[in-house]
Amino acid sequence: MTVTDPKTRTAPKRPRRERKESGFVAFRTALTAWLSRPLASFHLVLALTGVLTVIGIVMVLSASSVASYNPKTGSGVYSLFTKHLVFVAIGGVVFWLGLRVKLERIRRMSATATVISLGLLVLVLTPLGSTVNGSQGWFRIGEFTFQPVEAAKVALAFWGAHILVIKYNVIHQWRHLLVPVVPIALLMFALVMLQPDLGGTVTLAVVLLALLWFAGAPKRLFGVILAGGLAGVLVLAVIAPYRLARVMSFLSPDADVSAEGFQANQAKLALADGGLFGKGLGQGAASWNYLPNVQNDFIFALIGEELGLIGCVVVLALFAGVAVVGLRIATRNIDPWIRIVSGTLTVFLVAQAGINIGYVVGLLPVTGVTLPLISYGGTSLVITMLIMGVLANAARHEPEAVAALRTQGPGKFGRLLRLPAPDPYRPPATRKGAARTGAKAARPAPRAARPAPAQERRRSVREPVRRSAARTSTATSRGGAARSTASRGTRSTANRRGHW
């Protein structure tokens, strides 16, 4: 056994694995502490919106330069990109409005917005509407176009949540659960299918299903709706030749690679050419008209070609972050309307992104749905910015965020954007005998917890009174001491009943 000099003795080195584990624990602790901050959800919405918008600007510039150039009309290589920047600017203003306007005011305006959306869906079918890519679902104003179905989706989410919250105590009854939300939604479906626009109808259906889910509808209802929706999609696909051709090309993508299956096959080739790190920005062949409408519906294919698998994973992670943050906002709020709206809008955005990415990679038939915040601008981009603004507004209404903003001030972003302090949630006044359910989740209470009918309530009140009277008479016969005690107990019981 050798003895080392104490002066030269050094402390044993920590194993590398322990250092890695301690670093991971420190990172996890710091992340948990940051996420527990009152305005963490608000800052995450701002960050996700900004990053996705910047990615969209870069990819639209890379995708649209060749398609923009047209010497016959005098269009330069930056014409589509310039329009996209205009839509981003408009979307930024709309984002700020959705963040600044009080949510209670948005809720009051939801019925008017729904009526206006229905009127626009009717007007677009008249000669006032314009046909783009075989669908008469656009209003053309100069060089810009407006698609009313995008506004109808948000209006349905706001108004549907408002109706379902009003009917909170009777939502267990089918007629109150389905009427009038489902009939109005079906009317929107019919008007959109008359354009025809299958992609718009599918995303409207997603909004309706999300509304009913977050309102607490029975699960068997979703089975019936999904079965009916699948049957309707099959019928619509068969009766229209171009939709039937899309379905057949999806089932047999290699049958005719130069006709209906051209876009789907070119998209998969672009993804395959990108490899792990991609070819680099502006180096993709898909933007040279090898993939039509690459800046609109198939921009994810260009991301895979120019940024590779890494770029695709980053985009998927960002939309996963939108899903997590949106549902976090829905669960942390106590206002039932905010809970339903936040959950519905989050599911709608993530589902639209999933549908777009699904048909680009060949998992779904092509339906013509844009990739939120990344595809070439227009109505979809502006409405998506509005949705993200409303989500950021809802994040500021979390109870901890409300307390922090009202006691510590608006913060840096609040001062920069001139945001008013959010009002704390106050449950609406309930009728006498009704349960206070405003602070609970926006799901129907079990039948045993719901208020009983009037006749049963009167019977439940009379029965304790009869028993109390019987006890009082028995105590009177036994003596004065018991009589006074019983009378005091009766008076206190009556006082408690009168207070509640």
Side-chain angles (χ1 to χ4, degrees):
M1 180 176 179
T2 59
V3 180
T4 59
D5 187 0
K7 295 182 179 179
T8 60
R9 182 181 300 170
T10 59
K13 294 183 178 180
R14 298 178 62 184
R16 185 177 300 177
R17 183 175 180 181
E18 291 184 4
R19 288 201 299 270
K20 288 183 178 179
E21 289 181 356
S22 62
F24 174 75
V25 171
F27 172 77
R28 185 177 62 183
T29 303
L31 180 62
T32 304
W34 189 86
L35 291 176
S36 62
R37 298 174 63 181
L39 294 177
S41 301
F42 171 68
H43 293 149
L44 284 172
V45 173
L46 294 182
L48 289 170
T49 305
V51 173
L52 285 171
T53 304
V54 170
I55 292 176
I57 291 173
V58 173
M59 297 313 302
V60 168
L61 175 61
S62 178
S64 63
S65 57
V66 177
S68 300
Y69 181 70
N70 190 347
K72 295 181 179 180
T73 59
S75 299
V77 294
Y78 298 113
S79 59
L80 290 179
F81 176 69
T82 304
K83 289 183 180 179
H84 183 75
L85 290 181
V86 172
F87 286 122
V88 169
I90 297 173
V93 175
V94 172
F95 176 88
W96 178 74
L97 290 176
L99 177 58
R100 197 177 191 281
V101 177
K102 291 186 176 182
L103 293 178
E104 184 61 30
R105 186 175 182 182
I106 295 177
R107 180 177 177 180
R108 290 196 303 266
M109 296 169 56
S110 60
T112 304
T114 303
V115 173
I116 294 175
S117 299
L118 286 171
L120 292 176
L121 289 176
V122 173
L123 287 177
V124 79
L125 298 174
T126 65
L128 295 176
S130 300
T131 301
V132 178
N133 296 327
S135 175
Q136 188 175 347
W138 306 77
F139 290 109
R140 186 173 295 278
I141 305 173
E143 296 184 357
F144 298 95
T145 56
F146 171 72
Q147 195 174 11
V149 66
E150 299 294 336
K153 300 170 188 175
V154 181
L156 177 62
F158 292 157
W159 175 77
H162 170 67
I163 295 299
L164 293 173
V165 169
I166 289 177
K167 294 188 172 187
Y168 178 83
N169 289 322
V170 293
I171 205 173
H172 61 283
Q173 302 177 15
W174 287 95
R175 59 190 179 92
H176 290 292
L177 174 64
L178 301 180
V179 179
V181 176
V182 174
I184 295 299
L186 293 178
L187 177 59
M188 288 184 177
F189 295 169
L191 293 174
V192 174
M193 285 309 303
L194 289 175
Q195 297 178 5
D197 184 1
L198 182 59
T201 307
V202 171
T203 49
L204 270 174
V206 171
V207 173
L208 176 62
L209 290 174
L211 276 173
L212 297 176
W213 175 265
F214 288 105
K219 293 182 180 180
R220 61 180 179 273
L221 174 63
F222 295 97
V224 175
I225 293 178
L226 290 175
L230 181 60
V233 169
L234 291 176
V235 171
L236 293 172
V238 171
I239 61 177
Y242 77 96
R243 285 196 292 266
L244 180 60
R246 285 184 178 181
V247 173
M248 297 304 297
S249 66
F250 167 71
L251 297 176
S252 302
D254 298 329
D256 191 357
V257 296
S258 61
E260 295 296 334
F262 180 75
Q263 276 188 309
N265 283 280
Q266 289 295 322
K268 286 184 282 188
L269 289 175
L271 290 171
D273 290 341
L276 182 60
F277 299 103
K279 296 181 176 181
L281 290 173
Q283 304 300 317
S287 59
W288 291 81
N289 290 330
Y290 285 99
L291 181 56
N293 293 325
V294 64
Q295 71 274 9
N296 293 323
D297 304 342
F298 286 86
I299 198 166
F300 187 76
L302 187 65
I303 293 175
E305 185 178 16
E306 295 187 349
L307 302 180
L309 179 63
I310 302 299
C312 293
V313 171
V314 169
V315 172
L316 292 174
L318 290 173
F319 281 110
V322 172
V324 173
V325 175
L327 295 180
R328 169 190 165 100
I329 294 171
T331 55
R332 290 168 67 93
N333 268 282
I334 60 177
D335 188 334
W337 183 80
I338 297 179
R339 293 170 68 96
I340 297 179
V341 166
S342 300
T344 300
L345 295 179
T346 301
V347 170
F348 159 66
L349 281 182
V350 177
Q352 180 170 332
I355 293 172
N356 178 275
I357 296 173
Y359 69 68
V360 169
V361 300
L363 297 178
L364 295 173
V366 178
T367 54
V369 176
T370 58
L371 188 60
L373 294 177
I374 296 182
S375 292
Y376 172 71
T379 312
S380 177
L381 175 63
V382 174
I383 295 299
T384 304
M385 296 286 280
L386 172 64
I387 292 173
M388 299 303 289
V390 172
L391 285 178
N393 198 344
R396 299 179 78 246
H397 282 76
E398 295 177 3
E400 295 180 359
V402 172
L405 291 171
R406 296 183 71 87
T407 57
Q408 302 175 11
K412 296 180 180 179
F413 287 102
R415 296 190 194 94
L416 179 64
L417 300 175
R418 298 181 178 274
L419 302 178
D423 297 325
Y425 172 66
R426 294 181 177 86
T430 57
R431 296 180 181 178
K432 187 177 180 180
R436 292 179 178 268
T437 57
K440 296 182 180 180
R443 296 182 68 86
R447 295 182 183 273
R450 294 195 179 104
Q455 184 177 1
E456 295 182 6
R457 289 199 300 268
R458 288 194 296 268
R459 189 181 306 163
S460 63
V461 171
R462 291 195 194 105
E463 187 64 25
V465 174
R466 292 196 192 97
R467 294 176 182 175
S468 178
R471 287 195 300 269
T472 304
S473 62
T474 303
T476 304
S477 64
R478 290 180 178 178
R483 182 167 58 249
S484 61
T485 302
S487 62
R488 285 196 300 270
T490 305
R491 284 195 300 272
S492 62
T493 304
N495 290 335
R496 286 197 299 269
R497 290 196 187 96
H499 174 72
W500 290 108

